[in-house]
Amino acid sequence: MHKNKFAAMALAVAFSLPACAGGLLTNTNTNIAFNRNFARDGVIAIDGVYSNPAGVAFLPKGFHLSLNIQNAYQTRTIESGMTVPSLQGTPFYQPMKMNGANDDNLKTYKGEASVPVLPSFQAALVYDKWSFQLGFSLIGGGGKCTFNDGLASFERPVAMIPAVLAQYAQDPQIQALGLQLGTITPGYSVDSYMKGQQYVFGTQLGVSYKVNEHLAVYGGFRFNYIYNKYQGSITNISANIGGENVNLYDYFGTQITQLSDKAASYFALAATTSDPQLKAQLEAAAAGFTKGAETLTGVQEQVADKHLDCTQNGWGITPIIGLDYRIGNLNIGTRLEFTNHLNIENNTKRDDTGLYGDGVNTPADLPGLFTLGAQYSILPSLRVMASWHYFFDKDAKMADDKQKLLAGNTQEYLAGVEWDINKYITVSAGGQRTHYALGNGSYLTDMSFVTSSYSCGFGAKFKIAKNASVNIAYFWTNYEHFDKSYSQDLSVAGQTISVDCTDRFHRTNRVLGAGIDIDL
């Protein structure tokens, strides 16, 4: 099994864990107000420090603060299968059926991601013309995702081992060495595990200026710090040999010892004989056992336990500009976040895959974002909102230029409504459509995938004091299924085998949050 292919446990490739709403890599749910009504880009409120920073200039003079905590939970489910066209008609045609795949040749891998505490705050000091703003949130990532049974990309090369063993069992040279590799009950097993964590901490600073009673402008930046951690393993690779499931590393180790002992014995016998012909025969036999031991040593290395423990760090700055215009009952806000070009550096404690060298830098840009939103007051107590988000994903460089596999950029369409029941209670609800331009799905892997979705949220704001209000909200996301079929070559024990693969992607997402707004 060729190391770079077998170590398809490329555990940390782009294991994105967005903590819920937004584009491929971006969280837009930085405030509870967003969770209960997604279309916040044309709203004048303290959460505008993120969503409409220019509009913050129109807040009442004074100090405004919003503190928020969210709890998010995701599941990621991939149904994966594999067929080997060259082995049709054999037990190895659909090899993953030997280890849990169902009658449709699909095996389910499920990961769970949780963000127990997702904190954020926004603060603004507003004067007659100027406002000074500060915000903090997990602008990307924010979760831990664990696949206790690994993923199909780990298992597929292992699934080919029984077929390779069956082929070797028929090799006259293997038979001549006395190696037992055959079985009438082919099967395999493997223990694999992966856990990934991603955090993109964003601290935003900016200033807005009220040009006149209708127009305000904003300029600022967000300092982004990335911290990723990946741990994974592939252990106890086993296969059925002679009717018994055996750990291959240990089994090959025993065979190597036996072959080496035989080689030593034959060399010793050759040294004691004066018959040239017999000596040559004994030395040839010894050389054959030595070569067999060397070959098995190479194979044994490929079925050894493999582990990965790697953290990644990086930082960068996102420039941000914005405008807000209001007239009568209508307010319009827009902002532009520029693409943040940055690299992340590996801090590797262990890497048996050979793919994550310590100190190696990898591009991990945060895509730019353009937003346009509006709010219209139908009545003093009733408001409707709409927004549009456009992410510049194709301009954000990723490892191996993965962004080029996208068919286009992400777009989001958002709408909401807000109603003041009385001066103490406000309720709101909203929806969001996120469309990823995934094309034929080449961008997606079982280690990193997103699918287009619909989100719905609702909640309320309660005025609990003259200068304080509490927000509570809940939203969930319904992701579309995405089916991907593709062919790939697997390198197993020095052989290249073409296989046809299927992956069916599905996710769930739920977020509950609460926060408090204070005006002084």
Side-chain angles (χ1 to χ4, degrees), residues 279-290:
K279 183 181 182 68
Q281 291 174 346
L282 292 171
E283 289 178 344
F289 288 122
T290 298

Side-chain angles (χ1 to χ4, degrees), residues 101-124:
N102 60 23
D103 292 340
D104 294 326
N105 191 33
L106 293 174
K107 185 173 180 179
T108 300
Y109 302 85
K110 185 175 181 179
E112 297 183 346
S114 64
V115 190
V117 178
L118 179 65
S120 66
F121 74 83
Q122 293 82 34

Side-chain angles (χ1 to χ4, degrees), residues 227-300:
Y227 174 83
N228 303 331
K229 184 174 180 61
Y230 306 101
Q231 295 173 304
S233 62
I234 296 178
T235 60
N236 193 27
I237 297 174
S238 303
N240 190 290
I241 294 178
E244 181 182 357
N245 201 48
V246 298
N247 179 288
L248 290 179
Y249 186 85
D250 295 340
Y251 181 79
F252 288 139
T254 300
Q255 300 300 315
I256 291 167
T257 299
Q258 292 177 357
L259 290 174
S260 298
D261 290 344
K262 288 181 179 180
S265 297
Y266 276 83
F267 275 124
L269 288 173
T272 63
T273 182
S274 58
D275 184 339
Q277 184 176 0
L278 178 58
K279 183 181 182 68
Q281 291 174 346
L282 292 171
E283 289 178 344
F289 288 122
T290 298
K291 183 178 180 181
E294 292 173 349
T295 300
L296 284 189
T297 299
V299 174
Q300 184 192 37

Side-chain angles (χ1 to χ4, degrees), residues 50-315:
Y50 171 77
S51 58
N52 182 22
V56 173
F58 291 115
L59 286 175
K61 288 193 298 182
F63 179 70
H64 305 271
L65 175 66
S66 180
L67 303 172
N68 306 269
I69 293 179
Q70 301 177 58
N71 175 275
Y73 177 77
Q74 288 185 4
T75 63
R76 300 182 179 203
T77 304
I78 311 104
E79 295 179 291
S80 298
M82 179 177 72
T83 59
V84 188
S86 62
L87 297 178
Q88 189 168 7
T90 75
F92 313 111
Y93 175 57
Q94 296 177 327
M96 293 175 71
K97 283 186 174 180
M98 290 184 277
N99 191 38
N102 60 23
D103 292 340
D104 294 326
N105 191 33
L106 293 174
K107 185 173 180 179
T108 300
Y109 302 85
K110 185 175 181 179
E112 297 183 346
S114 64
V115 190
V117 178
L118 179 65
S120 66
F121 74 83
Q122 293 82 34
L125 186 59
V126 181
Y127 295 96
D128 286 329
K129 292 286 188 179
W130 296 90
S131 73
F132 301 90
Q133 304 172 28
L134 170 67
F136 171 83
S137 63
L138 287 170
I139 200 66
K144 303 176 182 180
C145 189
T146 302
F147 286 86
N148 288 313
D149 297 318
L151 292 165
S153 54
F154 303 1
E155 185 169 334
R156 285 185 174 118
V158 180
M160 294 307 305
I161 290 176
V164 173
L165 291 176
Q167 181 180 3
Y168 279 178
Q170 303 302 316
D171 189 324
Q173 293 182 344
I174 295 293
Q175 294 175 346
L177 292 174
L179 294 177
Q180 172 64 37
L181 297 178
T183 184
I184 59 173
T185 55
Y188 73 90
S189 64
V190 60
D191 296 330
S192 57
Y193 168 84
M194 184 180 73
K195 179 179 179 181
Q197 303 175 50
Q198 281 193 336
Y199 301 94
V200 184
F201 302 98
T203 301
Q204 185 172 326
L205 295 166
V207 178
S208 61
Y209 178 73
K210 188 190 304 180
V211 179
N212 53 46
E213 63 180 5
H214 299 292
L215 178 67
V217 296
Y218 171 85
F221 67 91
R222 182 183 302 115
F223 174 82
N224 305 300
Y225 174 75
I226 298 178
Y227 174 83
N228 303 331
K229 184 174 180 61
Y230 306 101
Q231 295 173 304
S233 62
I234 296 178
T235 60
N236 193 27
I237 297 174
S238 303
N240 190 290
I241 294 178
E244 181 182 357
N245 201 48
V246 298
N247 179 288
L248 290 179
Y249 186 85
D250 295 340
Y251 181 79
F252 288 139
T254 300
Q255 300 300 315
I256 291 167
T257 299
Q258 292 177 357
L259 290 174
S260 298
D261 290 344
K262 288 181 179 180
S265 297
Y266 276 83
F267 275 124
L269 288 173
T272 63
T273 182
S274 58
D275 184 339
Q277 184 176 0
L278 178 58
K279 183 181 182 68
Q281 291 174 346
L282 292 171
E283 289 178 344
F289 288 122
T290 298
K291 183 178 180 181
E294 292 173 349
T295 300
L296 284 189
T297 299
V299 174
Q300 184 192 37
E301 174 59 28
Q302 305 310 312
V303 295
D305 292 348
K306 293 179 172 60
H307 298 268
L308 175 67
D309 186 350
C310 176
T311 58
Q312 298 174 324
N313 303 89
W315 65 273

